[in-house]
Amino acid sequence: MIIIKNIKSILFFLLGFIALGIGIAGIILPVLPGGPFLLFASFCFAKSSKRIENWFQGTSFYKKYVERFYKKTGMTRKEKIRINLIADAFIIFSVFYVDILPIQILLVVLALYKHYYFIKKIKTIKLKHDEIVKEFV
């Protein structure tokens, strides 16, 4: 049992660092949303070990991008627009690339639901003055 637990911890640790790398790339690259990968990294680190989970929760990436999701405080208007534009670009590309009508209809319906969810279900928060300055520095 101890060997299986160690293997499981190592796998979650490796998956966490892969997700963290993709999440950091998503913060830098506008075509890759980093938030979901940082959430997944947080989950993996939590499953890996308590020490690694505490380390990750102390990073600025966690505090800026993940903590608000856990606390369910919401997203800024800028984040909502950025995520929706990127997702819409991929959905539009997929609609034109796929020649199967039911799939195209499903993609459009999912895109509309995504907009509904972001507008009605996710609270829009305003950043405090200090957070605005940090974001642009």
Side-chain angles (χ1 to χ4, degrees):
M1 282 310 263
I2 294 174
I3 294 173
I4 293 173
K5 186 176 179 182
N6 286 341
I7 291 173
K8 182 179 166 187
S9 293
I10 291 169
L11 287 175
F12 275 119
F13 177 75
L14 292 174
L15 277 174
F17 266 103
I18 291 168
L20 178 63
I22 295 171
I24 292 170
I27 293 168
I28 298 167
L29 301 172
V31 295
L32 185 66
F37 290 103
L38 292 172
L39 285 170
F40 182 64
S42 176
F43 169 78
C44 289
F45 288 142
K47 291 289 187 179
S48 169
S49 79
K50 193 67 177 164
R51 192 180 88 205
I52 294 171
E53 179 186 16
N54 290 337
W55 164 78
F56 183 63
Q57 289 177 353
T59 64
S60 62
F61 298 115
Y62 179 87
K63 290 178 181 171
K64 186 173 181 182
Y65 296 102
V66 179
E67 200 165 46
R68 280 187 282 170
F69 284 105
Y70 280 147
K71 292 182 178 178
K72 296 184 181 181
T73 57
M75 298 172 72
T76 65
R77 184 178 314 277
K78 180 180 173 184
E79 290 172 329
K80 284 183 173 184
I81 291 170
R82 179 177 164 256
I83 290 171
N84 274 300
L85 287 175
I86 292 166
D88 286 342
F90 282 107
I91 290 170
I92 290 169
F93 173 76
S94 299
V95 166
F96 288 116
Y97 186 74
V98 174
D99 289 333
I100 304 167
L101 185 62
I103 301 296
Q104 291 173 329
I105 293 170
L106 179 65
L107 287 170
V108 170
V109 168
L110 287 173
L112 292 173
Y113 179 75
K114 173 185 63 72
H115 283 283
Y116 163 77
Y117 190 83
F118 269 77
I119 292 168
K120 295 290 185 183
K121 299 290 184 182
I122 300 175
K123 182 180 167 187
T124 302
I125 59 172
K126 294 185 179 188
L127 291 177
K128 297 174 189 163
H129 178 70
D130 296 339
E131 293 173 341
I132 293 171
V133 171
K134 282 182 184 177
E135 194 169 306
F136 289 105
V137 174

